[in-house]
Amino acid sequence: MKVLSKLRRYGLATISCGIALAVAWPIDAPASCFLLAVTVSSLFGGLGPGLLSVGLSALAFGYFFLERTVPPAVEPAVFLRFAVFLVASLLIAGLMEMKRRVEQSRNRAKDALRQAQSDLAHVSRVTTMGELTASLAHEVNQPIAAAVTDANTCLRWLNRDHPDLEEARQAASRVVKDATRAAEIVSRTRLLFKKGTPQWELVDINEIIREMVALMRSEVTRHSISVRTELADDISQITGDRVQLQQVLMNLMINAIDAMKDGDGTRELGVKSQRAENQQLMVSISDTGVGLPPQQADQIFNAFFTTKLHGTGMGLRISRSIIESHGGRLWAADNPPRGASFHLTLPIHAEGHE
Amino acid sequence: MATQAKEKLVAIVDDDELMRGALQGLLKAVGLRSRAFASAEEFLKSGLQHQTACLIADIRMPGMSGLELQAKLNTEHCRIPTIFITAHGDAKMRMQALRGGAAEFLAKPFDDEVLLENVRAALDS
């Protein structure tokens, strides 16, 4: 593969010099034609092919055009022109090489930035999950408690003087269900801790919403908040990174819960997905909490902006950059009569479109 | 006494479906009649609170909590012996529940024998 590309690049240099010669011959304009060939070779081939084209051009220039003058190349001006041509073509080859290197290092910097963003997102995710530990433990404890009770019940049916196998079987199958639930919660949690390069795949946003609502269940219950979900049933497929999108929803839901947990009145967390304009999908997370800081509605997306005692001020910043990297938008609005709502849009996955 | 207990109803209020199933299964294994409700509101709406001889309730639930349910029943002069089961009960919550007249306060996962002793005691009272 590498050899082939090398061959192609050097071939390009040779061919462009050949074409330059063919064009330059009838119109007697070697300097500009060969310079063009050198430019093309260095731009698309790199330093090696660039230098090759300089050499070939110089040879062709010397052989075909300096000899052509009658008497052959006696005027010093002709040699001077040749020298200028040589310098110019070397300069072009050199400049093109520099340009290529600058581009390479810029790409490397971009990759590093992307990696840093992903690392930061992971750290913030782990921090957030840390805050949720008590709730997650409760969430796992629930099916375990049910399993213990069901297993004891099963033993009771078996330990009778006349064991009731049918009842025991029913209790045992409940144990299976309980344990499966506990395992599901653990694997769902583990997925969120997973660190790695972003993986783009086809994801169902409604499924992610349902998962996150399930994961937040006890956190929500702990603060006597009711959850209202309203999911669009016709559209929900998008292309994106599942873990990152889960993180955005988790951030927004935790913010909503935080905004409500110290207030009075109804506490309702609304999660809605619906079709929006221009082949977009809109997800809205609304709360009936303290609302957005007045006159600062957009500053909340700035890095290190926080109204929380222990906030990092990175949650919304990271959420917005994740949504933007998915080709969508994230913004905040008031949720009359009370609270805030966050809306995000994502492009709907089109059939047959990569 | 045993025949009388059989006629008395045990109500279960828990938002967790698996837990409701487990509790109903356990009570059935010892021959007790029970009804399960997914929320405190559902229980209050059923109108069965006056026939209930023993209440097993979770504390943390969406909507009305177990302690709020207890307070509500107290104001309606409907004092049902109540056993609370909860996953994260702290000392303060326990005190509040017992002061409100709770018969017992159990942490999940609980010992089924202890739960049943309390249920039987409530039905005999």
Side-chain angles (χ1 to χ4, degrees):
Chain A
M1 219 43 208
K2 216 167 175 184
V3 176
L4 202 72
S5 124
K6 215 171 188 175
L7 209 67
R8 202 179 299 143
R9 290 186 295 124
Y10 281 93
L12 172 79
T14 317
I15 290 167
S16 54
C17 285
I19 293 173
L21 176 62
V23 176
W25 184 255
I27 58 172
D28 194 23
S32 35
C33 288
F34 284 125
L35 276 181
L36 196 62
V38 170
T39 311
V40 168
S41 311
S42 339
L43 184 61
F44 297 107
L47 188 61
L51 289 178
L52 174 69
S53 69
V54 171
L56 288 175
S57 301
L59 277 178
F61 199 127
Y63 185 76
F64 291 104
F65 294 93
L66 292 188
E67 300 292 314
R68 206 176 166 191
T69 48
V70 184
V74 280
E75 283 172 72
V78 176
F79 283 105
L80 198 63
R81 216 190 301 161
F82 181 62
V84 168
F85 162 75
L86 260 186
V87 171
S89 52
L90 281 171
L91 208 62
I92 286 178
L95 282 175
M96 288 300 169
E97 176 62 13
M98 266 164 73
K99 173 181 171 301
R100 221 166 48 91
R101 286 196 186 163
V102 167
E103 257 166 23
Q104 262 176 7
S105 70
R106 192 168 47 200
N107 283 342
R108 266 200 299 274
K110 254 190 207 159
D111 286 347
L113 181 66
R114 207 167 298 139
Q115 185 61 46
Q117 267 177 347
S118 143
D119 287 350
L120 183 62
H122 177 251
V123 168
S124 129
R125 193 158 63 232
V126 172
T127 315
T128 319
M129 294 296 286
E131 290 168 22
L132 285 179
T133 310
S135 285
L136 293 173
H138 171 250
E139 198 60 18
V140 184
N141 194 29
Q142 197 86 346
I144 290 176
V148 171
T149 306
D150 283 323
N152 275 325
T153 304
C154 181
L155 289 177
R156 280 175 190 278
W157 290 116
L158 293 176
N159 288 342
R160 291 181 159 209
D161 294 337
H162 302 286
D164 189 327
L165 288 184
E166 184 44 40
E167 287 289 349
R169 191 174 296 127
Q170 278 179 22
S173 59
R174 283 201 302 273
V175 176
V176 173
K177 246 196 316 252
D178 301 333
T180 311
R181 232 285 282 293
E184 272 169 15
I185 294 163
V186 171
S187 72
R188 214 157 31 194
T189 314
R190 203 168 41 201
L191 269 182
L192 276 169
F193 278 110
K194 206 174 70 177
K195 184 173 186 290
T197 45
Q199 280 192 346
W200 283 62
E201 57 189 345
L202 199 59
V203 290
D204 183 332
I205 198 83
N206 284 348
E207 192 187 308
I208 295 185
I209 292 176
R210 274 185 221 109
E211 273 175 15
M212 295 319 292
V213 169
L215 209 55
M216 292 288 164
R217 207 183 67 115
S218 57
E219 184 71 7
V220 158
T221 311
R222 194 146 75 98
H223 299 292
S224 319
I225 294 168
S226 59
V227 183
R228 185 175 42 85
T229 50
E230 218 178 296
L231 304 182
D233 45 14
D234 53 336
I235 33 126
S236 57
Q237 300 279 12
I238 61 148
T239 319
D241 184 85
R242 169 180 291 272
V243 177
Q244 289 190 348
L245 292 171
Q246 282 176 332
Q247 177 175 9
V248 172
L249 288 174
M250 183 170 75
N251 276 343
L252 296 178
M253 287 170 69
I254 287 179
N255 282 350
I257 294 168
D258 281 347
M260 290 188 281
K261 65 184 178 192
D262 296 323
D264 304 318
T266 51
R267 297 173 177 188
E268 192 178 76
L269 171 66
V271 188
K272 188 175 178 182
S273 70
Q274 60 185 318
R275 184 187 279 275
E277 290 171 350
N278 303 327
Q279 281 298 300
Q280 302 254 318
L281 176 77
M282 184 157 94
V283 178
S284 310
I285 313 274
S286 57
D287 63 64
T288 54
V290 289
L292 301 169
Q295 273 99 50
Q296 290 180 313
D298 214 56
Q299 275 189 42
I300 56 173
F301 290 101
N302 290 349
F304 307 121
F305 181 95
T306 184
T307 56
K308 299 183 193 177
L309 204 54
H310 301 291
T312 58
M314 290 309 289
L316 284 175
R317 170 74 250 161
I318 290 169
S319 298
R320 183 176 260 185
S321 82
I322 288 175
I323 293 303
E324 283 173 357
S325 76
H326 280 76
R329 283 198 320 125
L330 170 65
W331 72 98
D334 288 320
N335 181 33
R338 215 157 64 89
S341 55
F342 285 80
H343 305 281
L344 63 90
T345 55
L346 290 165
I348 296 171
H349 175 81
E351 289 291 327
H353 176 260
E354 229 193 332
Chain B
M1 223 32 162
T3 48
Q4 200 187 350
K6 259 180 192 160
E7 289 154 16
K8 289 180 175 175
L9 180 70
V10 180
I12 299 159
V13 180
D14 196 315
D15 61 312
D16 190 83
E17 192 193 337
L18 297 176
M19 205 61 227
R20 287 199 300 274
L23 287 169
Q24 279 200 291
L26 175 65
L27 293 176
K28 186 178 178 189
V30 294
L32 291 172
R33 201 161 66 90
S34 69
R35 277 283 297 269
F37 304 90
S39 70
E41 289 86 346
E42 197 184 300
F43 174 59
L44 290 174
K45 235 190 285 170
S46 74
L48 287 172
Q49 61 266 45
H50 300 288
Q51 300 166 38
T52 303
C54 175
L55 173 64
I56 302 173
D58 188 10
I59 294 218
R60 251 170 211 161
M61 290 180 286
M64 193 184 275
S65 77
L67 293 178
E68 284 164 351
L69 171 65
Q70 183 188 30
K72 174 98 176 145
L73 290 170
N74 282 345
T75 58
E76 287 179 4
H77 303 290
C78 182
R79 294 188 79 96
I80 308 171
T82 304
I83 301 156
F84 284 112
I85 43 168
T86 183
H88 27 210
D90 50 27
K92 192 180 144 209
M93 212 182 261
R94 187 188 166 89
M95 277 304 295
Q96 195 187 339
L98 295 178
R99 214 178 293 137
E104 186 55 277
F105 191 94
L106 301 172
K108 286 181 195 171
F110 50 85
D111 185 332
D112 58 337
E113 205 50 66
V114 175
L115 177 80
L116 290 175
E117 266 168 36
N118 279 286
V119 172
R120 287 194 194 102
L123 295 181
D124 286 344
S125 67

